[in-house]
Amino acid sequence: MKAAVVYQKNEIRIDDVPRPRAGSGEIVVKVRASGICATDVKILSGAGIPAELPAILGHEVAGTVVELGDGTEGAGLHIGQRVAVYPIAACGQCLYCLQGRNSLCLQEHGLGHGDDGGFAEYVNIPREVVRLGGVVDIGEMPFDLAAMIEPTSCCIAAADQCGTKAGDTVVVIGAGPLGLLHTIVSTACGAEVVCVDVNEDRLNKALKLGAKRVINPALEDTAAVVGEMTGVGANVVIAAVGIPRVMESYLPLVRNGGVFNVFGGTPRGEMMKVDPRWIHYGEIVLTGTFASSVSQFHRAHEFVAEHAEEIEAVISTRCGLDDILAAVLRVQSGEGTKSVILFPE
C-alpha cells in the first residue's frame, strides 16, 4: 500500500509499505479521509519527532472497515462499515481512564503516536481503541466531514475544561482551523466569541461561522476592544496558537475569576512568564487541553452531524496522498485553513 512515511526531520516520502493485518482485538480500516493537523506538521519539523523511525503520522481518520481480528465479535462492527476513529489507545483501567480522561492515560499510545497513523491507504486500529468503543459508525456522513470529528472533539474538551456556558465572552486567539472550530463550538455553547488574528481572510471566515467580533491586533488594541465589550475582560480565553510569547501577551484579557486555556502546542523548552499574584488575587484558572476523551469523541460525532455546514466550511483544501508535501507547506505558511487528504474507494 502507499503511505506517507516520515524518515527524519523534514523528510517525508510516499513509499510502498506492507498493508497491516488485524491481530487479536484489532481491526483494519481502509482510509478514505485523513486530516492534516498542525501537530503532524510540528512533529515533521522536528518538534517531538517519533522515537522510532520510519513512522506514519495522521490521527484524524475516517474510512471503511475491511478486516476484523479475532475477539472483535462483540464490538458491533462489520466489514464495509463507514467509521471515524478515536486515535488514542487508552487502557481504560488506570486512574485517569477511570475518571474519563483517556488523553491522560498512563499507558496511552495511538495513531501517529507509537502506532502507524492514517496517512496511508490502510490503518490498523489498536485493540484498546476498539475495546473503548472508539470506532464510531458515521452512517452516510461524508468521509472528509467525518475526519473533522477528532479535531472538533478537542475543542469540545477545551469547552468542558473551561466551563464555557451561555452568556460567556470567549476570546479565541488564532483563527486557524482549530480556532475556527473553537468559534463554532463556543458559539453553540451560547457564548459570544471574539476571534483574534492578523489574517483578514480567516477573520472574515470566523465572522461567517458565528464570531460576534473579530480583531486584527495589527489594526486594533485587543485589550481595549475586549474591555469595551465586557467592562471586566473575558470569561474564557483560548490560546489556539503555539507561540508562548503570543500567549503571554493575551493573559491580561481574562477577567478575575476567568479561565485561560493553553490549547496550541508549543515548542519544547520555550516558556512564558506568569505573575503568580495575578493568578492568586484574580482567582484565575490557568489550564490546558490537547486532546479528548472517547466520550467527547462520541459527542463530537453528534455535534459535527448537527453543524455539518459550519464544520465543512473550515475545510479549505482536499488533496490526494501524493500532494501531502504541498499540503504540509500550506499548513506551515498559514495558507487556507484545514487540509484533508482523500483516498479513492
Side-chain angles (χ1 to χ4, degrees):
M1 68 171 185
K2 277 188 174 183
V5 184
V6 177
Y7 285 93
Q8 60 184 356
K9 177 181 176 179
N10 284 324
E11 183 181 351
I12 184 169
R13 301 200 304 261
I14 307 301
D15 276 350
D16 286 316
V17 300
R19 174 181 157 176
R21 298 296 175 185
S24 177
E26 302 171 345
I27 70 169
V28 174
V29 169
K30 178 178 173 56
V31 181
R32 296 297 309 282
S34 190
I36 298 177
C37 176
T39 300
D40 298 318
V41 176
K42 290 173 187 174
I43 290 171
L44 178 61
S45 64
I49 199 79
E52 294 186 11
L53 293 173
I56 301 171
L57 302 179
H59 59 272
E60 302 173 358
V61 178
T64 56
V65 177
V66 294
E67 185 180 348
L68 300 170
D70 295 338
T72 59
E73 295 80 8
L77 302 172
H78 60 266
I79 301 298
Q81 189 171 8
R82 305 171 85 257
V83 297
V85 180
Y86 178 68
I88 300 174
C91 72
Q93 301 172 347
C94 72
L95 65 95
Y96 292 113
C97 285
L98 293 176
Q99 295 171 13
R101 304 185 74 178
N102 304 116
S103 59
L104 299 181
C105 173
L106 294 173
Q107 302 178 51
E108 65 89 20
H109 54 97
L111 304 187
H113 175 60
D115 301 294
D116 285 337
F119 294 161
E121 292 179 308
Y122 296 87
V123 62
N124 185 78
I125 309 304
R127 64 177 61 86
E128 295 91 341
V129 174
V130 177
R131 186 171 63 235
L132 281 172
V135 182
V136 177
D137 189 309
I138 61 170
E140 297 303 312
M141 180 181 289
F143 288 113
D144 56 348
L145 190 59
M148 299 293 284
I149 294 173
E150 195 281 333
T152 301
S153 76
C154 298
C155 297
I156 288 174
D160 288 350
Q161 184 86 313
C162 295
T164 304
K165 62 188 182 301
D168 282 353
T169 297
V170 175
V171 177
V172 178
I173 310 301
L178 270 298
L180 294 173
L181 289 176
H182 278 299
T183 298
I184 296 167
V185 169
S186 295
T187 299
C189 290
E192 289 192 346
V193 176
V194 179
C195 210
V196 181
D197 204 297
V198 295
N199 186 314
E200 290 289 343
D201 289 338
R202 289 181 169 185
L203 290 178
N204 287 332
K205 181 160 281 192
L207 281 173
K208 293 176 182 177
L209 294 176
K212 179 77 171 181
R213 180 75 153 80
V214 296
I215 302 170
N216 183 335
L219 304 176
E220 295 185 276
D221 184 321
T222 304
V225 174
V226 173
E228 183 179 340
M229 289 180 64
T230 65
V232 290
N235 304 86
V236 175
V237 176
I238 299 174
V241 294
I243 307 171
R245 60 179 173 78
V246 174
M247 293 181 179
E248 182 181 325
S249 69
Y250 289 110
L251 290 171
L253 296 184
V254 181
R255 68 177 64 183
N256 287 350
V259 183
F260 189 97
N261 180 271
V262 176
F263 185 86
T266 62
R268 190 180 303 277
E270 292 193 14
M271 304 293 175
M272 68 179 185
K273 295 180 181 178
V274 181
D275 182 356
R277 290 174 59 84
W278 170 70
I279 294 176
H280 177 71
Y281 289 108
E283 298 186 4
I284 304 296
V285 176
L286 182 59
T287 187
T289 48
F290 76 99
S292 65
S293 68
V294 71
S295 65
Q296 288 162 336
F297 188 84
H298 281 266
R299 286 166 54 200
H301 171 226
E302 297 176 1
F303 186 92
V304 171
E306 293 169 359
H307 298 267
E309 185 175 348
E310 300 104 293
I311 302 292
E312 187 174 18
V314 177
I315 303 173
S316 59
T317 306
R318 296 164 178 83
C319 61
L321 185 64
D322 290 337
D323 298 320
I324 190 169
L325 289 176
V328 166
L329 289 174
R330 282 194 294 272
V331 175
Q332 289 176 325
S333 67
E335 179 185 342
T337 47
K338 186 70 173 180
S339 291
V340 177
I341 298 172
L342 298 181
F343 295 79
E345 188 171 354

